[in-house]
Amino acid sequence: RAMSPARPRRVGASVDPVAEKPAARAVPRVPPAVATRTTRAMAARAAAVAGGKRDASSEDKSGLDASDGGFLHMRRVGRVRSIATFPLKGARGQMLDRAKVSLGSSTPRDREFALLRHENIEQFWAGGDGGDDDEAYAGRILATGEGKDPGHHSNKHLFHQLITDPSMVRYAVEMLGDSGIAVVDAATGKTLVAAEDVSDATQRSVLEAFFGEVLETSSAAKPPSLVRALGHSFANVGGRPNEHVLHLNAAPTVERCWRELAADSERSDGKAPESLEAFAMRFRPNLVVEDAGDGSLKPWSELGWCGRDVRVGPEVVLRINEPTIRCPSTRVRYDRLGDDVLVDEAQLKMPDVALQRAFPSLSAEIFGRETTLAEKGSYLGLYATVIQGGTMSPGDDIVLIG
């Protein structure tokens, strides 16, 4: 039967991955790269003033103090709508009331676990037992590929993914303490199986047996291996220690893409089209950014943040590296949780194909290279690196620095 999409459950008081917010937050220090860019901007502005010209780029439209934190110009471009973490690669995640991040980290325990395919265990994770060897195994798998941009590897095919095992959309994985996880039925909220300490082989085998039974490309006889390596993240980009990335989606852009791809498309059973909420869940972001109420965040305007820094709330500073290229897992829909999970089969509805065709003129910087995005693939979202840690929460302003 058709069901409405289930949102990730929000962390409650009993399951809190971060410390309480400090009573007072300090103004962030200026990262070196920002300070250099600010010095250049100050010189340019002084020259414009001396010549009797107004520098339009220095106009603060947000009402913020342009000298806040010592920066020449800080312009509010949005605010945080929601924060999430996805402990298991491919599964649904968990909403957070706040998240503490540090230099080069993602949200707490994001993509900490992955299901390594049975046929790959001997070659890539033989003898793994939760010890130091696991860090070496993960490091090799997540190493940047030859000729690729920082943090990009080519080994996600070694794991069970949403596109190969669409039934993963039925399960949310939530954090239990520091080293455990629980698998939750996304439709009912019922915990199906859990392990308080995944480093314990007996507890881990229970989770492996569960996924061996339910995944399309696995079996009870050949279950996957639940792998974990401290300091590593099994994201598609930035998985090794201190090179993790945060994935950002801008709500106006997601809505624009939904209207283009999904808003008017009937489901195969003739029922209502896919909702915006369900469509947005396909992209599994850590941060969703919305307009702050002034109408300044337009569809695709976040592409202009690439190569720049943004402040999230009073403490956190992110460097926006590149837009996010979309993979085939975005074809799996979140508006059906029964036995008949839906996967888009028409190319005009596949985000990893259709976005490239629907928006052919988009361009953005990819690690400093101005790029016509349609020449490389379909893009939606941004990858960012934490360059100054702290705590961030829904409702925090997103401020573009410099």
Side-chain angles (χ1 to χ4, degrees):
R1 63 187 178 89
M3 300 182 185
S4 60
R7 292 177 62 83
R9 297 198 296 187
R10 190 172 295 278
V11 173
S14 61
V15 185
D16 191 346
V18 298
E20 293 294 328
K21 293 182 183 178
R25 293 179 175 178
V27 174
R29 65 175 178 83
V30 182
V34 176
T36 301
R37 186 163 58 247
T38 300
T39 301
R40 291 198 299 265
M42 289 177 67
R45 186 181 184 189
V49 172
K53 299 179 181 179
R54 180 179 177 82
D55 181 4
S57 68
S58 68
E59 184 177 356
D60 191 345
K61 299 178 181 178
S62 70
L64 298 175
D65 181 0
S67 64
D68 184 19
F71 298 119
L72 171 67
H73 179 64
M74 299 176 70
R75 179 169 60 90
R76 185 176 64 187
V77 291
R79 67 184 170 209
V80 177
R81 172 183 288 181
S82 62
I83 305 175
T85 190
F86 298 85
L88 177 65
K89 181 180 180 68
R92 292 174 183 247
Q94 180 176 12
M95 302 295 287
L96 305 178
D97 288 327
R98 60 189 181 278
K100 187 174 183 178
V101 296
S102 57
L103 184 68
S105 80
S106 184
T107 50
R109 303 184 63 186
D110 188 59
R111 276 80 171 186
E112 182 176 310
F113 298 93
L115 294 167
L116 185 65
R117 291 181 170 279
H118 185 87
E119 62 269 23
N120 297 323
I121 296 173
E122 183 174 354
Q123 179 179 355
F124 293 97
W125 213 277
D129 59 1
D132 293 341
D133 287 345
D134 287 5
E135 296 182 29
Y137 297 144
R140 286 194 293 270
I141 289 175
L142 299 172
T144 299
E146 184 177 354
K148 291 184 174 291
D149 285 317
H152 286 253
H153 63 84
S154 303
N155 291 316
K156 63 183 180 181
H157 65 283
L158 302 177
F159 304 99
H160 289 278
Q161 306 170 63
L162 196 55
I163 189 58
T164 60
D165 299 271
S167 61
M168 293 185 80
V169 78
R170 300 180 188 137
Y171 309 108
V173 172
E174 300 182 351
M175 300 177 284
L176 284 180
D178 294 329
S179 58
I181 54 174
V183 180
V184 176
D185 186 311
T188 66
K190 178 183 177 181
T191 297
L192 302 173
V193 64
E196 293 184 356
D197 183 2
V198 179
S199 64
D200 179 82
T202 301
Q203 295 186 51
R204 189 169 63 248
S205 66
V206 174
L207 296 168
E208 293 168 343
F210 172 83
F211 284 109
E213 291 278 3
V214 301
L215 296 183
E216 289 88 338
T217 62
S218 189
S219 69
K222 296 182 178 181
S225 178
L226 183 66
V227 297
R228 175 200 193 203
L230 293 177
H232 292 75
S233 165
F234 293 97
N236 290 347
V237 173
R240 296 204 291 184
N242 300 318
E243 66 176 28
H244 297 186
V245 295
L246 283 165
H247 176 214
L248 284 70
N249 275 181
T253 299
V254 174
E255 181 174 356
R256 176 69 181 87
C257 294
W258 170 71
R259 293 189 182 282
E260 182 70 29
L261 272 61
D264 298 325
S265 64
E266 291 295 321
R267 297 196 319 197
S268 59
D269 57 9
K271 295 186 178 181
E274 183 180 18
S275 69
L276 173 58
E277 180 184 20
F279 180 78
M281 292 171 73
R282 297 190 190 207
F283 303 99
R284 302 161 53 77
N286 300 116
L287 292 181
V288 175
V289 180
E290 64 183 2
D291 184 72
D294 56 10
S296 61
L297 185 60
K298 306 293 186 183
W300 302 112
S301 64
E302 73 275 12
L303 293 179
W305 307 349
C306 292
R308 304 177 71 179
D309 299 337
V310 298
R311 194 187 71 184
V312 184
E315 298 178 354
V316 178
V317 179
L318 308 178
R319 177 151 299 151
I320 309 299
N321 299 323
E322 58 178 329
T324 305
I325 194 166
R326 307 316 316 199
C327 72
S329 288
T330 57
R331 299 176 190 177
V332 180
R333 292 171 56 160
Y334 281 70
D335 56 350
R336 183 74 67 83
L337 302 179
D339 293 334
D340 50 350
V341 172
L342 294 177
V343 181
D344 281 332
E345 296 180 353
Q347 287 196 355
L348 291 177
K349 303 302 178 185
M350 299 176 180
D352 62 303
V353 175
L355 292 175
Q356 182 179 20
R357 297 176 177 178
F359 304 100
S361 61
L362 296 175
S363 64
E365 284 192 14
I366 298 179
F367 285 98
R369 305 184 306 273
E370 189 66 27
T371 304
T372 301
L373 300 182
E375 295 177 357
K376 294 177 65 66
S378 287
Y379 288 80
L380 192 159
L382 302 170
Y383 280 134
T385 299
V386 177
I387 61 171
Q388 180 172 294
T391 300
M392 55 188 182
S393 305
D396 281 347
D397 281 340
I398 305 291
V399 176
L400 191 63
I401 299 173

